[in-house]
Amino acid sequence: MAAGFSQRAPGKVLLDAVCNHLNLVEGDYFGLEFPDHKKITVWLDLLKPIVKQIRRPKHVVVKFVVKFFPPDHTQLQEELTRYLFALQVKQDLAQGRLACNDNSAALLISHIVQSEIGDFDEASDREHLAKNKYIPQQDALEDKIVEFHHNHIGQTPAESDFQLLEIARKLEMYGVRLHPAKDREGTKINLAVANTGILVFQGFTKINAFNWAKVRKLSFKRKRFLIKLRPDVNSSYQDTLEFLMASRDFCKSFWKICVEHHAFFRLFEEPKPKPKPVLFSRGSSFRFSGRTQKQVLDYVKEGGHKKVQFERKHSKIHSIRSLATQPSEPNSEVPKQAQQSVSLTLGEGSEPPGGQSCPQGGDLTAASAEDAERQRGPGPSRSPAGSAKGDGASGAAAEEDEELVKDRPQQSRPRPPQPSTGSLTGSPHLSELSINSQGGTAPTNAILSPNLSPDTKQASPLRFPTDKAYFIAKEVSTTERTYLKDLEVITSWFQSTVSKEDSMPETLKSLIFPNFEPLHKFHTNFLKEIEQRLALWEGRSNAHIRGDYQRIGDVMLKNIQGMKQLAAHLWKHSEALEALETGIRGSRRLESLCRDFELQKVCYLPLNTFLLRPLHRLMHYKQVLERLCKHYPPSHSDFRDCRAALAEITEMVAQLHGTMIKMENFQKLHELKKDLIGVDNLVIPGREFIRLGSLSKLSGKGLQQRMFFLFNDVLLYTSRGLTASNQFKVHGQLPLYGMTMEESEEEWGVPHCLTLRGQRQSIVVAASSRPEMDKWVEDIQMAIDLAEKSSGPAPEFLASSPPDNKSPEEAAGDQESEDDLSASRTSLERQAPHRGNTMVHVCWHRNTSVSMVDFSVAVENQLSGNLLRKFKNSNGWQKLWVVFTNFCLFFYKSHQDNHPLASLPLLGYSLTIPSESEDIHKDYVFKLHFKSHVYYFRAESEYTFERWMEVIRSATSSASRAHAPSHKESHVY
């Protein structure tokens, strides 16, 4: 290697030669390191001549190693780069640099073993582990390694590399090199630098971190390393932090590494050289040289390189030494096997290239040249991250709608980052690492989903897509199925009911049904096109012409342009909603017909909600296209169609924006009217709903639970009746004009307590928690301000019955028990008595509240698809078609069912990831928990897992105006 260029050449020439030799496109993540004349390990400066850095080249080995560790390995676009990173992890583990607990170490080694020798065989495993030491004290972990390796059956070497990096990146010591130092008090600590900033360790425990955004300046003076921080009023740190290192050379070396990391991860482009001083030079002239991470990502995404195919194969099945003797082809574009080690020997007397195998702690590329040559070949890349995108999801074989997580021994997939609501903290332990403890083998192309009959079709042996765009497209398909079912509630079920009864005027019929039928027809064809495209994308049909069909933008663009032709029907939906409510108010027969229809299982939501579904669906298309445009680089073949479709749908949504806000409020007022007894004129022009929820009201009998309803002009409080209709009886009303509010915990000795003083009446109320109280305070104050700005006091309500101050006791049997779909359902789940499952009743039972902002967010966060469900004490997983809408999960046996088996309202539930002690050991599992009720759900991929988490979190943690837009702002599309 050294003979090919002059030692007077700058260091960059040598690094480029290594990268060119390996056909390594993303060589910017790597560096060359060597011991200097004082035996301090330093990085080769790319700008200085090599001869000025390496004083005795005959005795120096330059090592090619990973220098910059990105926060997420999916940012590495090339499979060869990921493979070299995996070798670096293997080396760091062997050298004790990647410290972690025993479970994590055993899991990491099990993936290394899978990549080296393939599928589990206990005898081979133990023989291999006896010959290869991957970590000090490996013998104590051998049983765990073998057990974990058992779970990786069918996993390719590329997938093993991916899993190895996914686990390693979550470890606190990933990519960390410790530099001994002392703080001002003389305490021994270690300094390190990472993509995020500068880290401080005591032993292997991180005790502090200084993010790049907080660091104003880095400098060194002799042995002292100085960090100057930006001023922060909330910080207790001094402006400048000082650390003492062993020598000036140690200090300068660490300073250089920090400068390079800051530039690589934070700057958009390589910093320009400073002008040389005319007379005197002060300080170091060192600067970062090379492309920044952003430039590397842009270069690879834009295809600025010649693609060299690389396929991972098991690296220890053949002897490395036998491969090393094969002849090389000097000018071959694809390097052949083992031309030489990438431990660069710049002179005589250095170690022979193959002298140290990687598992024993050899250099990153002591084996990499041999293995890299062996891995390269004509076969396509089999990266689990897809075509350089890498959302980490492992492809699930899909046969029509019968796909979900397979129950075969898991190909351990990357675990998504722990959500903010999760209960796990700190560095990853076993519970975060997706381990399947179940044994057994199954054909890799068999679908073993639960609840499927033995004659279920086998999946195609073709590899299924893992690109995030595929799962986004699949979400369009699953939600479109639900949307079509919702349209059929009107076009088929409601129309059939109306045709049997002569209670709806012809004018109303002609306003509703002719404006829904064209939509149903159009979306039936749209769904067909999406599913055909997904079949091509997956390779289930016409696999020979599959290449051009891994996109969805063209289908979306064509159909959204078709939707514009149906805009006239969409404009009619608000008119139909108003006309239906007017007709119900004027006709007892029509009101009875609609109420009876709402009691049918097929009408799983309030009837008037279905009339707004087409407007809501436009927003869903917009969200999907925004996600696609954000996911694709501008150079992607699908980007232009997606962007054009997004522009079209954005225009449609903007035109209907005002109508949507008005109609949602109108619909909500009419819904609330059905839940209330004692008020006739709830729906009047100008009235807006703000919040409803459960509060305790202080009276002579103590605190009594009441339901409160806040509007922009009045606050109502009610008690829950024991009538057949389960409605809430209005007890009192406080006009907001002239109202004042003050916290009064100390006065009454009640936690989370408020006094509301109206012009004629004052009440004292208490919330169930401080967050609930804060939400009410914000909204009541906003409503008071709105009332003050209005023309004057609101009109009086007309009570249909005199106020009743008695608080009826809840029925003893009305306790929640949500144990099984077939069990007797709760007051929240059962379909009767009438209106027992509305949001008002859910808030009553869960002692919580919900606002119009929450309802607006809920409209946008709708999702449907297959999930596996498990109860706390059950063994098996049950496959269900699940629809999430209106703060509720609705469970169906399959997507073809016309009505849900049961529902689970989510307000008040907590959303977490199962802990290790819960013994789940499955991928993509989330947990829903309320009091003693615990449910586990499994998704099919990382993308769908994150989407379910996102939408469910929107229902389990309701909005406060402190972090949510106002109602009108929430629909700025």
Side-chain angles (χ1 to χ4, degrees), residues 19-38:
C19 295
N20 290 337
H21 173 75
L22 290 173
N23 280 327
L24 181 60
V25 176
E26 298 170 298
D28 307 77
Y29 290 102
F30 299 82
L32 299 170
E33 97 180 343
F34 63 96
D36 69 2
H37 62 289
K38 294 183 180 178

Side-chain angles (χ1 to χ4, degrees), residues 271-510:
K272 293 180 172 58
K274 296 176 184 176
K276 289 187 177 179
V278 179
L279 294 174
F280 302 106
S281 171
R282 278 199 72 184
S284 173
S285 62
F286 174 79
R287 69 178 176 87
F288 170 75
S289 171
R291 294 182 296 193
T292 65
Q293 188 190 28
K294 183 181 185 304
Q295 289 175 311
V296 177
L297 291 171
D298 290 347
Y299 174 74
V300 179
K301 284 177 180 175
E302 288 163 9
H305 62 289
K306 190 169 184 180
K307 186 80 174 173
V308 179
Q309 290 176 326
F310 173 79
E311 184 179 0
R312 282 280 280 117
K313 294 179 181 174
H314 298 295
S315 54
K316 289 291 177 73
I317 288 178
H318 304 292
S319 163
I320 287 177
R321 294 188 182 278
S322 67
L323 287 169
T325 61
Q326 296 186 8
S328 63
E329 298 179 24
N331 298 317
S332 170
E333 181 182 299
V334 180
K336 298 301 174 186
Q337 297 165 19
Q339 292 172 355
Q340 75 282 308
S341 164
V342 187
S343 278
L344 305 175
T345 306
L346 296 184
E348 301 165 359
S350 59
E351 292 179 28
Q356 202 176 27
S357 73
C358 212
Q360 279 76 23
D363 305 331
L364 157 66
T365 47
S368 72
E370 307 160 30
D371 289 352
E373 320 304 0
R374 188 183 325 119
Q375 317 297 350
R376 288 189 187 279
S381 168
R382 299 184 64 184
S383 162
S387 59
K389 294 292 179 298
D391 72 334
S394 183
E399 283 294 331
E400 300 305 323
D401 66 305
E402 296 294 333
E403 84 291 351
L404 206 61
V405 183
K406 314 303 176 292
D407 260 353
R408 65 171 181 241
Q410 293 276 312
Q411 298 180 6
S412 181
R413 303 186 182 94
R415 188 80 162 191
Q418 180 183 327
S420 57
T421 52
S423 58
L424 303 172
T425 56
S427 58
H429 295 287
L430 190 62
S431 57
E432 293 175 71
L433 299 178
S434 304
I435 301 153
N436 185 340
S437 59
Q438 295 178 2
T441 60
T444 55
N445 65 340
I447 295 179
L448 300 180
S449 296
N451 296 349
L452 298 184
S453 58
D455 60 351
T456 302
K457 299 178 201 170
Q458 284 197 328
S460 162
L462 291 166
R463 184 172 181 78
F464 280 83
T466 58
D467 185 19
K468 184 177 179 179
Y470 164 77
F471 290 107
I472 296 176
K474 197 165 176 186
E475 183 183 327
V476 178
S477 165
T478 56
T479 52
E480 192 74 6
R481 284 173 176 169
T482 298
Y483 175 51
L484 265 179
K485 286 287 183 185
D486 286 351
L487 289 177
E488 285 168 12
V489 171
I490 301 294
T491 60
S492 178
W493 298 91
F494 187 52
Q495 188 167 12
S496 172
T497 300
V498 166
S499 65
K500 294 173 189 171
E501 302 273 346
D502 187 24
S503 54
M504 180 178 282
E506 288 300 322
T507 52
L508 185 53
K509 287 182 189 176
S510 62

Side-chain angles (χ1 to χ4, degrees), residues 82-371:
R82 283 192 292 276
Y83 168 59
L84 295 178
F85 265 71
L87 288 176
Q88 181 71 63
V89 167
K90 190 159 64 169
Q91 175 187 319
D92 289 350
L93 200 60
Q95 293 179 343
R97 188 180 283 160
L98 185 59
C100 56
N101 62 42
D102 287 352
N103 282 328
S104 297
L107 188 58
L108 288 165
I109 295 169
S110 71
H111 285 295
I112 295 171
V113 172
Q114 176 72 19
S115 73
E116 292 188 345
I117 65 172
D119 285 347
F120 171 80
D121 176 85
E122 184 162 357
S124 301
D125 276 22
R126 295 196 184 275
E127 182 184 352
H128 183 76
L129 290 170
K131 292 178 181 176
N132 297 273
K133 296 300 176 188
Y134 297 99
I135 194 171
Q137 292 85 45
Q138 178 176 298
D139 293 347
L141 298 180
E142 187 171 307
D143 289 342
K144 272 188 181 178
I145 296 167
V146 171
E147 180 189 344
F148 290 159
H149 184 209
H150 193 190
N151 300 322
H152 307 330
I153 290 172
Q155 192 168 282
T156 66
E159 288 169 332
S160 297
D161 290 348
F162 192 88
Q163 297 300 330
L164 184 73
L165 295 177
E166 178 65 22
I167 296 160
R169 76 179 177 93
K170 297 176 183 176
L171 299 174
E172 199 156 71
M173 298 302 295
Y174 175 63
V176 167
R177 293 190 174 209
L178 300 178
H179 300 258
K182 292 180 181 177
D183 63 13
R184 275 186 173 170
E185 283 73 43
T187 306
K188 287 184 179 180
I189 49 100
N190 289 305
L191 296 178
V193 62
N195 59 83
T196 54
I198 297 169
L199 313 175
V200 184
F201 287 81
Q202 210 155 37
F204 288 113
T205 305
K206 186 167 71 176
I207 60 173
N208 217 332
F210 302 103
N211 195 285
W212 292 127
K214 295 179 183 176
V215 176
R216 199 171 92 199
K217 185 180 180 182
L218 295 173
S219 60
F220 70 96
K221 291 181 182 177
R222 297 184 180 86
K223 297 181 181 181
R224 289 182 299 146
F225 180 73
L226 305 168
I227 305 174
K228 196 162 191 174
L229 299 174
R230 298 184 190 280
D232 182 358
V233 291
N234 298 318
S235 175
S236 59
Y237 301 122
Q238 313 98 316
D239 178 46
T240 303
L241 300 171
E242 187 177 304
F243 300 94
L244 192 68
M245 305 193 85
S247 68
R248 179 186 182 278
D249 289 341
F250 269 116
C251 202
K252 183 176 182 180
S253 174
F254 182 63
W255 172 79
K256 282 184 173 183
I257 295 167
C258 293
V259 169
E260 291 185 309
H261 272 73
H262 175 268
F264 184 75
F265 288 108
R266 293 280 287 182
L267 301 184
F268 285 173
E269 56 187 32
E270 179 183 352
K272 293 180 172 58
K274 296 176 184 176
K276 289 187 177 179
V278 179
L279 294 174
F280 302 106
S281 171
R282 278 199 72 184
S284 173
S285 62
F286 174 79
R287 69 178 176 87
F288 170 75
S289 171
R291 294 182 296 193
T292 65
Q293 188 190 28
K294 183 181 185 304
Q295 289 175 311
V296 177
L297 291 171
D298 290 347
Y299 174 74
V300 179
K301 284 177 180 175
E302 288 163 9
H305 62 289
K306 190 169 184 180
K307 186 80 174 173
V308 179
Q309 290 176 326
F310 173 79
E311 184 179 0
R312 282 280 280 117
K313 294 179 181 174
H314 298 295
S315 54
K316 289 291 177 73
I317 288 178
H318 304 292
S319 163
I320 287 177
R321 294 188 182 278
S322 67
L323 287 169
T325 61
Q326 296 186 8
S328 63
E329 298 179 24
N331 298 317
S332 170
E333 181 182 299
V334 180
K336 298 301 174 186
Q337 297 165 19
Q339 292 172 355
Q340 75 282 308
S341 164
V342 187
S343 278
L344 305 175
T345 306
L346 296 184
E348 301 165 359
S350 59
E351 292 179 28
Q356 202 176 27
S357 73
C358 212
Q360 279 76 23
D363 305 331
L364 157 66
T365 47
S368 72
E370 307 160 30
D371 289 352

Side-chain angles (χ1 to χ4, degrees), residues 603-633:
C603 190
Y604 67 102
L605 297 173
L607 175 60
N608 52 18
T609 302
F610 291 102
L611 294 175
L612 294 179
R613 274 297 195 249
L615 301 181
H616 298 161
R617 188 61 178 152
L618 297 181
M619 291 157 48
H620 302 157
Y621 295 138
K622 182 173 181 289
Q623 285 181 332
V624 162
L625 287 163
E626 284 171 345
R627 282 200 294 275
L628 281 167
C629 288
K630 190 176 178 183
H631 167 66
Y632 284 134

